[in-house]
Amino acid sequence: MTPPPAVKAEFAARGSHAEIEEGTALAPKFDADGLIPAIAADADSGTVLMMAWMNAAALKATIETGEAHYWSRSRREIWRKGGTSGHVQRIREVRLDCDQDAVLLLVEQEGPGACHVGYRACFFRRVASDGAGGVRLEVVEPKAYDPGKVYGSGS
C-alpha cells in the first residue's frame, strides 16, 4: 500500500440536517463523552473485524496517519491499533454514516487477527440455543493466534 498523502484533518461545525446528511463537510457528532463508535472492516472481504471508540484526536490521527487509532475507555488514552501486537490496521477508506455519528474504517489488517483474545475478528461468537429454552454464546471461528505469545501472560 502506498503511504497516504499528507492531509490535515479539520472538523467543521455541525450545520443543518441537509448539510450534515448530504454535504461534503466533515462534521462528526461525538457523544456526551466526546466519543464516536468506529467499526473496522476488512477492505477486501467486508468482514467486520472490530468495534471500538474514537475521540476527536483518534479520528484525526487515523485520517492523518493512515493507520487506525482508537480511544481506550478503560485506559483513558489513545492507542494505535497494533502498537503492541504489530497487528496494524492500514486505512483504505474512512467513511461516516449519514448522520456523521458513526465511523466505518475499511482496513488492511496486518497480522493474523484484530481481536486481542486471539481471533481474526472480535465477532467470533454467536447467540445460540442452550437446548433448555435459553441462550448461550457459541464460538464460530477458530483462534488465529496465541495472545499470550503476542501480549504476554497478562492479556
Side-chain angles (χ1 to χ4, degrees), residues 9-79:
E10 297 295 336
F11 304 138
R14 293 195 41 96
S16 69
H17 283 292
E19 291 168 332
I20 292 165
E21 293 174 351
E22 296 193 71
T24 59
L26 176 58
K29 182 178 182 184
F30 298 94
D31 69 13
D33 294 323
L35 302 175
I36 191 169
I39 299 289
D42 184 281
D44 292 324
S45 70
T47 300
V48 174
L49 299 172
M50 60 181 278
M51 182 274 174
W53 296 94
M54 291 180 157
N55 63 5
L59 180 55
K60 181 176 172 53
T62 297
I63 294 167
E64 291 180 354
T65 67
E67 294 182 355
H69 289 70
Y70 300 102
W71 174 255
S72 170
R73 294 181 300 168
S74 59
R75 293 187 310 263
R76 313 250 346 123
E77 65 185 17
I78 292 176
W79 55 281

Side-chain angles (χ1 to χ4, degrees), residues 63-115:
I63 294 167
E64 291 180 354
T65 67
E67 294 182 355
H69 289 70
Y70 300 102
W71 174 255
S72 170
R73 294 181 300 168
S74 59
R75 293 187 310 263
R76 313 250 346 123
E77 65 185 17
I78 292 176
W79 55 281
R80 181 179 66 89
K81 179 66 176 155
T84 302
S85 66
H87 302 170
V88 175
Q89 291 176 342
R90 304 245 182 249
I91 304 300
R92 281 227 205 129
E93 288 185 35
V94 177
R95 297 184 183 188
L96 275 81
D97 74 336
C98 57
D99 295 325
Q100 296 195 47
D101 62 1
V103 175
L104 172 62
L105 304 176
L106 299 179
V107 304
E108 294 175 12
Q109 176 68 54
E110 293 185 4
C115 181

